[in-house]
Structure formats: C-alpha cells, structure tokens
Amino acid sequence: MIRFGADACANLDTALRREWLETNGLGGFASSTIVGLNTRRYHGLLTAATRPPVGRTLLLSKLEETLVIGGRRYELSANRYPGVVHPQGHRFLAEFRLDPFPVFTYEVDGWLLEKAVFMIQGENSTVVQYELKPTSASRPSRLIAAAQGCTLELRPLVAFRDYHSTTHENGALRREYESEPGLVTLRPYEGVPALHLAHDADAVTAAGDWYRNLEYDLERERGLDFHEDLFCPLTLTFDLAQRSQASVIASTEPRVAASASQYRQSERQRRLAVGEAALAGDARTLALAAAADQYLVARGEQRTVIAGYHWFGDWGRDTMIALPGLTLVPGRAEVAKSILLAFARHVDRGMLPNRFPEAGETPEYNTVDATLWYFDAVRALLDYTGDHAFVRAQLYPVLNDMIEWHVRGTRYGIHVDEDGLLLAGEPGVQLTWMDAKVGDWVVTPRHGKPVEIQALWYNALRVVQELAQRFGDLELSAHYAEMAERARKSFNAKFWNEAAGCLYDVVNGEECDDSLRPNQIFAVSLTHSMLPREKAKRVVEAVQRELLTPYGLRSLAPGSAGYRGTYAGDVVARDGAYHQGTVWAWLLGPFVTAYLKVSGGTAKARKQCERWLAGMDEHLRDAGLGQISEIFDGEPPHRPQGCIAQAWSVAEILRAWVEDVLAIRPARAAVAPAPSVAAPRRRTAAMAAKG
C-alpha cells in the first residue's frame, strides 16, 4: 500500500508531483493527482479507448464534490485558476492511499468521507464510490444530529475531446441530457461516444454551467496550451442521512450503480491473481507485476502493449523490449504469444511496425531495431515455455522472411553491408530508439551502423540459427552461422575504441562516432554477444563510470558535446535533451544483466545490483504512484520527467530483478551444436546475391 497523510495532501508542492493511474485493459485510463487537482490535459476520470487500444477520448474530466452537513457546505474539490486554487478541498484530505486503487479520505466536521476510484477491466467504465463514516473521536449524539442534514452533491465536468487536446466554451455543445431512474446520458457532440452516468442519487438537477479557464501546470511547463473550459450539465444529490454510501459509474455503456460494489470486489480479486502468477512473491516483484499489468491491452482479438501513460500508444520497439518483463516474468506466457502473433500479422517488407497511429490503422515502419528486438522476444518466450511447436507453426516463417528482407534490403536503406553488418539510415529520418525529431531537425540521426543495431543483428542471427538447427533446416542453420561469424569479426575489427576502452557508438564508412552513450551495453547484455570477455568487462566499466545514476543510464556522458543535464522547457528544448544526457530508467535492466555477466554472477555482484535496483523502490512513491517514470534529469537530484508510467522502465527493472538478482531464470532449451559452416547449405536468391 502507498499512503500519504494529511500533511502531504495539504502541501500542494508535495501533492501535485504525485499522480495516480487506473487503466482498463483497452488503452483507456483515469488519472489525476493525489488531491484531485488536474495538472495535465490528460488527467480525467474517464478517457475511453474508442478503437482499442487507441482512439482515446477524454469524456469525464472530474466530479466537483460538495459535502453539506447541517446546512454548512464543504467544498472537497481543488482546481487551478489564474492566480488561485479554488476550491481548496485538499485541506480536508486526511489521507490518500493506493489500496490497490486510489482511495481518498476526507475529514469534515466529525465525519470521514471515503472515496474510491477504479476502472472495470475490459470496459470504458470508471467507478466512483463514496462512504460516510463517523470519526472515532466524535460523540454519537452529535453524529446522529449531524446526520439528519448530510448530503453529497456531485457536479460532473465533461470535456468530450481527443485526449491530446483541450476544450473551450462553444455554442456547438448540446446542453440537454437524457435522464431515467438511475441513469443520465450525455450526448453533447456528434461523432463522440455518449457518456452514461449510472447513479443512485436522490435527485438530478439541471445546471448548464461552464467552468472557465482552468489551468494545467504541467502543460504550461511543456510550452503547450494549458487553459481549458469544462461544462457542467447537472448536479447529482445524495441524501447521506438515509444511507452511508453513494455510487457513480461513468461509462460508454449503460450500467447499474447497484453493481458498483460487485465490480470493486471483482477488480480487487483480479489484481490479487496478477500477483499470484508472478515467478517470485517478494514485495518488489509483486509491486512491479501490478504495475506491469497496466500496460497489457487489447488490439482486436490479440494483445499488445501501451508504451507509456499518458500519451503513448502501442509501439513495436517498446513492446518487444518490454515483453519479457511484462508477460513472462509475471507468469503470463499466453499474453506474450498473443502479442507476438498480433505484431507478426503486421510485418511488411521484413519490418515490424514501429507504431500504430491514433487516427488510423495504417502502421508506421520507421525503425531499424523493432524488428531485431522481435527475435529476442521470441528467444525469451522459448526460454520460458519451450514451446517450439508454437514458434515453428506461427513465427519461424516470419523470422526467416525478416532476415531475407534485411539481406535483400528494405526501407530507409536498411540492408546487410559487405562486411556482414547492418547498414541503415536516410536523411531526415531517425531509425534507432534515440529517435527525437523536431520538424526537420533529427537530433541524433545515427546513420550508418549504430552499435546496438549490430549487437541485435548478431543476436537475431544466432536465434534463427538455433531454430533452424532444431527444426532440421541444417543448410539454412549453417548459413546463418556463417553470417553471424562474419558480422562478429567485422564488429570487433571496426567498433573497438582502444583509446576510450569501449565501443564506438556509430561507424559510418571511415567515420567513427566516439560519443560515450549507453547503446554499447547491449553488445554485452544480449544473450548472444560478439565481444570477448575482457572487452565486455571494459565496456561495462566505462558505462558504469560515466553513465550510471540511481535511476538508470544517462543517454550521453557528461562533458560531451551537446550534453544536456536537465530535461525542461518547450517541445524543442525537451526533445533536444531527450537523448543528450537524459537518464533512461529502462537501461538499468540491461546494465544489471551485463554487469553480472562480466562479474561471473557472484553473490557479491548480485548484492551490488540489488542496491542499484532498490533505488526504484522509493520512486514508486513519487511521480506516477506504483509506477516507474520514462526518464529522469541527467544531473542530481535526477528529477523524474516524461511519462509518469513507462512500459519498458517497469519491464526491465522487473526482469533484471527476478532473472538476474534473484536468479530465477528458466534454463534455455538444449540445442544441438550448429553444423560446420563448410557444410552444404540452401540459400535464397537474395542471400546468394550477398555472398
């Protein structure tokens, strides 16, 4: 349980940096700060995924809450307006906790009003429940008297907009609503889903007011539109003198408020089951497994991964990197298979989609590494399940096709060069994970042969070599072995920077980029490595010395040209710092794996890695509660930045903790030795053309 008391809730500087997140397994979500003051345009009680997992539309921004006791009105909400916070309901907030979902406890005039917020799995539905309780210090006679005049008023503030936008007062909004016993339906605009408010209120009263000029602090910091107008169509009034509970279900489908408690119990049991399936049962594993669950969502009949909340969709690269930690370590191998199938169906010209746009179904293929990470995700699936029959029937042909396309050449100049290494890049595009771009400015183009792409290419070749061997395709296995060996020799000859004692970041013809970046860690951490042990050890030492922080690896060493230690400012400033020194949490996972590899996995080394990973425990109580942020400032105190909840951050910390530190790692399926490279082999025309 994550808990904050009255002091933390009353201090807005403390409270507003902490945000809660609820998700529904469809891509929809609810989120705000621990005091209910929205600081982002993404904050709201119901952001529905209208075309799961995308098409996200913010329908219900919040509920303005007023508790009336004996004729006195207590405003429990909080909003930022120009120059003022009004009302100041955070002054009544005695406690906020995640238990396992957000629970707010207000203390007012001898009463406790507890509010719980959660989403229903598989629905665009958010449940809000209230319960009135006496404080233990109150006198019973006084409580009874006060209860005779105790009501709760809820005023829904609606937005009905794309979740990346803001809404403003307009005449196109339809003010009328439909009301029947226990249900109110709002249809303010054409082409937007209706919002159904199931309730057990005693009265529904028309309002029709605009709440103008709300301000979102974090959008102001990001240099974006930070003002919004929200519409209040009605007031729901609950007589708490007659009963102690009140419920509202905000949904894109009609629901019944009487089911709220049943939904709550079902959701609690579902979340308990998530933890019970994990490979380890310690507190850190359970916390991270719960976090991992929030990224797994539907795409049609299959599953996919939301890269981060609040603003990312499902991205191929992020999904494949995160897949082992999000699915296999938490004991959800069937979800892993579904994700691999979902992306396999969208492979085109040997490439995995980088992203599925919010506005349409046509994928984008602007990445060189997503496809290569797919091979490693398949490798991880086999390590955990040994289900070679599934891979042979569903994925093996796709993997071979991917290799053939990379040999033949595919988009953006991606092809195998004469030295056996993978060449990629064209002017104006960014193909690696360091993909920041502002207008026509590609911040880190990395054209040529990026170091991690070669590591991933070699790893991919060894994965399909082993598969071909197991499946009896011996000629092809021998050819893959030959390709891998050629790549290994070229890599060691061209990428080692003896002066720095580590690897070049990019080799492009005769040009060698000696920027000290974390990308070289994958040449050690991946299952199949091209580096001899001594060089691998020196790579890890260089990365540890220059890039390691308590929250991940810097994307560029301090003192380097272009280094930016703070991630702040408008879009241009932030994107300019994104991969120029900013710390990335997900990189701590491969660093731990690499460190233990070169240290021999001793108990002392595992203890050191445990200390590094333990730094994330306190972070789970900061920024996105129960989650791990996308990035951190490069300089101390390494303030969390970017998305408050990032899939690969959670996944890699969880994977490294369980697989590497706890050493709960599945034994790899035994594979017979590869045949000699001199053995006869069968090659496709494209492979023959490359020699």
Side-chain angles (χ1 to χ4, degrees):
M1 183 191 300
I2 295 176
R3 178 190 176 278
F4 297 95
D7 290 344
C9 295
N11 184 335
L12 287 182
D13 288 340
T14 298
L16 297 185
R17 63 176 288 154
R18 292 175 167 89
E19 305 172 51
W20 56 267
L21 172 70
E22 281 288 296
T23 62
N24 65 354
L26 297 176
F29 60 87
S31 182
S32 187
T33 63
I34 64 172
V35 294
L37 192 158
N38 292 348
T39 59
R40 302 181 187 272
R41 57 185 173 180
Y42 300 99
H43 282 160
L45 284 177
L46 179 58
T47 295
T50 60
R51 299 185 304 279
V54 294
R56 287 172 283 191
T57 304
L58 200 160
L59 302 178
L60 177 62
S61 179
K62 63 186 310 182
L63 295 172
E64 292 289 280
E65 301 147 334
T66 305
L67 188 62
V68 183
I69 302 176
R72 293 189 62 184
R73 300 177 62 83
Y74 299 91
E75 305 290 342
L76 305 183
S77 299
N79 301 305
R80 176 85 70 187
Y81 295 99
V84 66
V85 172
H86 177 80
Q88 297 191 8
H90 58 286
R91 297 179 304 160
F92 300 109
L93 195 54
E95 180 186 81
F96 171 90
R97 68 184 190 273
L98 285 183
D99 186 24
F101 30 71
V103 179
F104 308 76
T105 302
Y106 297 90
E107 185 171 354
V108 180
D109 195 19
W111 291 92
L112 297 178
L113 182 68
E114 185 175 276
K115 175 178 70 174
V117 180
F118 64 93
M119 296 196 81
I120 301 173
Q121 193 72 2
E123 293 188 12
N124 286 310
S125 301
T126 301
V127 179
V128 186
Q129 280 191 297
Y130 299 85
E131 184 174 6
L132 189 67
K133 306 174 182 178
T135 61
S136 58
S138 300
R139 296 179 180 177
S141 59
R142 180 170 174 266
L143 295 179
I144 294 172
Q148 299 307 309
C150 185
T151 59
L152 175 65
E153 297 174 0
L154 302 180
R155 294 175 295 282
L157 303 188
V158 300
F160 283 87
R161 58 166 170 83
D162 178 87
Y163 78 135
H164 290 308
S165 307
T166 54
T167 193
H168 299 281
E169 183 174 0
N170 62 86
L173 180 139
R174 180 174 177 263
R175 293 171 169 263
E176 296 77 21
Y177 57 86
E178 303 165 18
S179 183
E180 57 184 270
L183 186 67
V184 171
T185 299
L186 307 172
R187 307 178 193 273
Y189 303 108
E190 294 296 328
V192 179
L195 172 63
H196 302 276
L197 298 175
H199 63 84
D200 50 14
D202 297 282
V204 179
T205 308
D209 303 315
W210 281 95
Y211 283 57
R212 301 180 181 87
N213 225 17
L214 288 90
E215 293 186 346
Y216 301 138
D217 295 348
L218 294 181
E219 304 306 326
R220 178 196 284 113
E221 288 184 12
R222 298 170 70 215
L224 302 171
D225 181 13
F226 61 93
H227 291 100
E228 182 158 48
D229 304 328
L230 297 171
F231 182 68
C232 175
L234 55 92
T235 300
L236 300 172
T237 303
F238 304 79
D239 185 356
L240 297 184
Q242 304 300 318
R243 54 199 168 95
S244 62
Q245 294 184 334
S247 300
V248 174
I249 304 177
S251 178
T252 54
E253 302 291 336
R255 291 290 175 257
V256 178
S259 302
S261 294
Q262 181 180 345
Y263 284 131
R264 184 172 180 172
Q265 182 63 22
S266 296
E267 182 59 18
R268 184 179 291 276
Q269 291 300 319
R270 189 193 69 81
R271 298 188 195 197
L272 286 173
V274 168
E276 291 171 354
L279 298 188
D282 63 285
R284 183 176 295 142
T285 299
L286 294 178
L288 294 174
D293 179 62
Q294 294 194 295
Y295 302 98
L296 302 176
V297 301
R299 173 169 282 282
E301 296 181 357
Q302 300 295 345
R303 305 296 293 279
T304 187
V305 170
I306 292 293
Y309 294 98
H310 300 90
W311 48 79
F312 287 137
D314 51 337
W315 292 59
R317 172 192 300 120
D318 298 58
T319 297
M320 296 309 134
I321 291 172
L323 184 142
L326 294 187
T327 63
L328 299 173
V329 175
R332 308 178 75 173
E334 292 306 311
V335 176
K337 292 179 182 179
S338 180
I339 292 170
L340 292 170
L341 283 175
F343 275 85
R345 293 172 181 175
H346 292 279
V347 170
D348 184 77
R349 296 177 64 184
M351 295 180 67
L352 207 71
N354 187 36
R355 68 183 289 261
F356 296 92
E358 290 276 348
E361 290 301 315
T362 303
E364 297 177 0
Y365 291 87
N366 56 331
T367 169
V368 62
D369 52 348
T371 305
L372 304 179
W373 279 112
Y374 189 84
F375 287 81
D376 199 59
V378 173
R379 185 272 314 159
L381 176 73
L382 289 172
D383 284 356
Y384 275 83
T385 68
D387 194 347
H388 288 86
F390 168 79
V391 170
R392 182 170 191 173
Q394 302 290 342
L395 306 181
Y396 181 57
V398 177
L399 298 177
N400 283 317
D401 183 64
M402 287 173 167
I403 296 292
E404 183 172 343
W405 269 103
H406 281 66
V407 172
R408 178 192 305 156
T410 184
R411 298 174 177 88
Y412 305 114
I414 298 171
H415 68 278
V416 178
D417 204 3
E418 293 179 355
D419 57 6
L421 298 176
L422 205 58
L423 186 68
E426 292 179 352
V429 296
Q430 68 286 20
L431 299 176
T432 72
W433 79 275
M434 291 187 164
D435 58 358
K437 183 179 181 181
V438 184
D440 294 330
W441 176 36
V442 178
V443 182
T444 48
R446 306 183 72 231
H447 295 159
K449 298 170 183 174
V451 61
E452 80 279 15
I453 302 306
Q454 312 317 313
L456 285 163
W457 173 242
Y458 177 82
N459 187 68
L461 288 172
R462 290 303 188 189
V463 169
V464 290
Q465 174 201 338
E466 290 182 353
L467 289 176
Q469 174 76 10
R470 174 173 286 273
F471 299 151
D473 203 344
L474 302 184
E475 296 175 351
L476 194 56
S477 178
H479 182 64
Y480 287 147
E482 182 184 38
M483 292 175 66
E485 182 62 16
R486 187 190 312 167
R488 187 192 66 80
K489 290 180 179 178
S490 297
F491 181 82
N492 280 279
K494 297 184 177 183
F495 272 85
W496 185 251
N497 180 358
E498 182 59 35
C502 60
L503 296 168
Y504 290 113
D505 188 58
V506 181
V507 171
N508 191 8
E510 298 302 315
E511 298 180 7
C512 297
D513 182 355
D514 62 359
S515 300
L516 208 169
R517 295 185 181 274
N519 304 302
Q520 60 190 295
I521 201 68
F522 299 107
V524 183
S525 66
L526 287 167
T527 300
H528 302 283
S529 172
M530 293 182 282
L531 287 177
R533 183 179 179 82
E534 184 55 37
K535 287 184 177 179
K537 185 176 180 180
R538 293 178 69 184
V539 165
V540 173
E541 289 172 348
V543 170
Q544 180 181 351
R545 182 178 62 249
E546 300 292 339
L547 304 178
L548 181 64
T549 76
Y551 299 106
L553 301 185
R554 293 185 179 95
S555 45
L556 182 64
S560 303
Y563 174 77
R564 298 277 297 277
T566 303
Y567 180 86
D570 60 15
V571 173
V572 174
R574 284 182 287 111
D575 282 352
Y578 207 33
H579 300 108
Q580 295 291 89
T582 295
V583 171
W584 289 77
W586 77 277
L587 294 173
L588 190 56
F591 174 78
V592 165
T593 302
Y595 181 86
L596 288 174
K597 263 191 174 184
V598 301
S599 66
T602 65
K604 181 180 178 181
R606 288 202 303 273
K607 192 66 177 178
Q608 175 60 69
C609 291
E610 180 178 2
R611 287 193 290 269
W612 284 327
L613 294 176
M616 288 299 181
D617 292 350
E618 185 59 30
H619 176 64
L620 293 176
R621 296 172 47 83
D622 195 14
L625 300 180
Q627 285 287 350
I628 299 179
S629 297
E630 175 190 16
I631 54 177
F632 298 78
D633 283 340
E635 293 299 311
H638 304 295
R639 188 176 63 152
Q641 302 279 13
C643 282
I644 65 167
Q646 193 78 358
W648 58 14
S649 298
V650 170
E652 275 300 285
I653 299 302
L654 176 56
R655 183 202 58 77
W657 166 245
V658 174
E659 286 189 355
D660 297 323
V661 180
L662 296 182
I664 303 175
R665 180 190 287 269
R668 300 189 69 234
V671 179
S676 168
V677 295
R681 60 184 180 268
R682 173 176 51 81
R683 295 191 287 177
T684 65
M687 290 177 177
K690 287 291 182 179

